[in-house]
Amino acid sequence: MSYLIKNDPEIAAIVSHELLREEHELNLIASENYTSKAILEATGSILTNKYAEGYSGKRYYGGCQVVDQAELLAIERCKTLFNAQHVNVQPHAGSQANMAAYTALVKPGELIMGMSLATGGHLTHGHAVNFSGSVYRAIQYGVDLETGLLNYQAIYELADQHKPKLIIAGASAYSRIIDFEKFAQIAQQVGALLLVDMAHISGLVAAGVHPSPVPYADCVTSTTHKTLRGPRGGFILCKNNFKEAIDKAIMPGTQGGPLMHVIAAKAVCFKEALTPAFITYQQQVIKNCALLAREFINRGYVIVTGGTDNHLFIIDLRNKNITGRAAEVALEKAGISVSRSCIPGDPEKPWITSGIRIGSAAITTRGMREQECIAMVDLIDDVIKHHTDEIYLAKIKQSVLRLCDAFPIYAE
Ligand code: DSN
């Protein structure tokens, strides 16, 4: 009998219910994925017991000689994976990675410039309700409202007008290749540093199916749990000239004890990402995503930017007379998880939105391919058409269950 069932049956029940939910539902949330059992094992290991403030060989606690090896391995593998000069694997999450990176690169009150949340950026890229918009002064660029695309000339003009100290590139809801070389040119022209937040696309970058920001950016931040398919966490890559500042900004600047069990799991994730199978997986993520977008377009849906080059896209639902929130709720009733998403120039409030974001990373991990992608677009289309019919949604849930049962996530 498991220790969890014996000691805490309530939490044990929650864990097994969540396992069933993940097995039985279609997950199209673009920022989620399923880790390997090896990563789960490392995350659940006794390394959680160890305090290790500091860095390998320079800790503020005794007894760190074993966990030091885990952190060194994680760093070496991550360096190889992304061809980076310096790596810090201690950030607890992507937001903490960004907070530490800004701490290292700019002073409080200085001007930063990132992509607005409403057009696909992230809270930590300068939003007023986040530390990034209150500790720093922030201006925000967006996308062209007609095309949904980044307009590099407009970004340059905004940067030239305001002269930010730091430009942040990277997005949570942008379906096209980001031209990091152009961002670097803009930063250089206006005298800014460039930080790329590659959290969404780091798996694609690792596999070489999206251009890497590493040659162009002073600093690159990421999570490990999205397309990279690792444990929940973050990391920072930087040029050698920022390595002391970045390490100091993490510890003692913004974090205390690192999560050594998660760092060990990150090492496993980087090892997995260095295999040929990972490249094949990422190629399939992109194929599946393009196929999903095409099938939606064939059924009369409007896709922001007209398609996708990566693992996600945004559906503009206005011609389907349903809001993003209503679609998200109806899809959930049918066993399909998506996240509502603003569309460029969205007339609805962020809580409601006019769009949904679709991502292919998780369904691809479970082995789904062309036939399943077509089937799931049919199911989603059915939900959108019958979103107020609870009985119909319950019937669709049965079809979702059959589809999921054929592609178990954690069965041997
Ligand atoms: N919340 C994440 C996403 O869903 O894209 C970004 O941090």
Side-chain angles (χ1 to χ4, degrees):
M1 195 190 208
S2 93
Y3 292 102
L4 191 56
I5 295 174
K6 197 164 138 229
N7 291 0
D8 193 335
E10 284 160 289
I11 288 292
I14 288 168
V15 173
S16 54
H17 289 159
E18 174 60 9
L19 175 62
L20 287 179
R21 189 196 67 78
E22 292 187 18
E23 292 283 358
H24 292 166
E25 291 190 358
L26 271 179
N27 183 1
L28 292 162
I29 294 178
S31 48
E32 293 186 6
N33 213 327
Y34 308 113
T35 65
S36 68
K37 286 183 179 173
I39 287 172
L40 288 180
E41 208 174 311
T43 313
S45 71
I46 48 92
L47 270 59
T48 193
N49 295 334
K50 191 69 198 97
Y51 244 120
E53 274 180 20
Y55 292 98
S56 300
K58 288 172 283 176
R59 306 280 189 188
Y60 289 85
Y61 290 80
C64 289
Q65 59 277 21
V66 180
V67 291
D68 272 4
Q69 293 166 36
E71 185 161 348
L72 289 172
L73 257 185
I75 289 169
E76 278 321 301
R77 289 174 182 171
C78 189
K79 261 190 194 170
T80 309
L81 187 61
F82 293 106
N83 202 13
Q85 291 179 7
H86 181 70
V87 174
N88 188 308
V89 292
Q90 292 194 4
H92 300 328
S95 294
Q96 280 65 41
N98 284 344
M99 181 181 255
Y102 303 169
T103 302
L105 302 179
V106 275
K107 294 193 188 72
E110 286 188 332
L111 189 69
I112 63 171
M113 176 172 140
M115 189 174 184
S116 70
L117 183 66
T119 59
H122 190 257
L123 264 178
T124 57
H125 295 182
H127 196 288
V129 300
N130 184 259
F131 80 92
S132 57
S134 55
V135 174
Y136 306 96
R137 287 181 300 119
I139 47 166
Q140 306 251 269
Y141 60 87
V143 292
D144 183 283
L145 294 186
E146 286 295 305
T147 61
L149 296 170
L150 286 170
N151 177 336
Y152 295 94
Q153 180 60 26
I155 294 168
Y156 164 70
E157 283 167 17
L158 189 69
D160 192 43
Q161 185 189 345
H162 295 277
K163 301 279 190 292
K165 285 276 188 283
L166 177 70
I167 295 178
I168 302 147
S172 292
Y174 187 68
S175 63
R176 296 301 185 172
I177 300 276
I178 299 179
D179 191 334
F180 299 122
E181 190 174 3
K182 273 201 185 130
F183 266 108
Q185 281 162 4
I186 294 169
Q188 205 226 337
Q189 280 167 312
V190 303
L193 294 171
L194 177 65
L195 180 147
V196 174
D197 179 345
M198 65 167 183
H200 260 270
I201 56 169
S202 54
L204 308 178
V205 170
V209 299
H210 187 292
S212 171
V214 173
Y216 304 108
D218 296 290
C219 185
V220 176
T221 58
S222 184
T223 53
T224 34
H225 50 269
K226 297 185 175 86
T227 50
L228 196 51
R229 211 164 56 176
R232 189 158 292 278
F235 64 94
I236 304 176
L237 315 175
C238 68
K239 301 267 188 267
N240 273 334
N241 51 328
F242 291 109
K243 70 180 182 187
E244 278 93 13
I246 287 291
D247 287 353
K248 263 171 71 180
I250 284 286
M251 161 64 207
T254 54
Q255 290 190 177
L259 311 176
M260 296 315 298
H261 55 306
V262 179
I263 288 176
K266 287 174 189 173
V268 181
C269 153
F270 300 138
K271 183 172 186 192
E272 289 177 1
L274 282 161
T275 61
F278 192 76
I279 297 176
T280 310
Y281 161 66
Q282 296 295 350
Q283 288 166 339
Q284 192 63 46
V285 166
I286 288 194
K287 263 192 219 160
N288 280 353
C289 200
L291 184 68
L292 288 166
R294 194 194 70 199
E295 292 298 315
F296 276 111
I297 290 167
N298 289 346
R299 287 160 183 75
Y301 287 82
V302 175
I303 307 295
V304 175
T305 80
T308 175
D309 303 323
N310 60 23
H311 64 299
L312 65 78
F313 57 90
I314 316 297
I315 305 180
D316 176 347
L317 290 167
R318 286 176 300 174
N319 68 339
K320 298 288 176 182
N321 293 319
I322 182 170
T323 64
R325 177 169 154 73
E328 181 191 297
V329 169
L331 286 162
E332 185 157 16
K333 287 181 185 158
I336 302 170
S337 303
V338 302
S339 39
R340 79 194 80 151
S341 177
C342 289
I343 54 158
D346 204 321
E348 298 286 353
K349 292 202 163 68
W351 179 248
I352 302 294
T353 79
S354 300
I356 50 173
R357 187 182 64 169
I358 301 281
S360 61
I363 55 136
T364 308
T365 293
R366 27 188 342 162
M368 294 181 178
R369 300 284 181 272
E370 181 163 5
Q371 205 185 326
E372 295 76 36
C373 287
I374 295 169
M376 76 183 78
V377 174
D378 278 333
L379 292 168
I380 293 169
D381 187 33
D382 256 2
V383 171
I384 302 289
K385 282 181 180 144
H386 302 96
H387 66 276
T388 53
D389 184 342
E390 302 274 339
I391 295 170
Y392 197 83
L393 296 183
K395 265 183 27 204
I396 296 179
K397 192 168 186 168
Q398 291 309 308
S399 306
V400 169
L401 187 58
R402 278 193 294 277
L403 181 55
C404 290
D405 275 352
F407 293 88
I409 306 163
Y410 288 113
E412 281 303 335

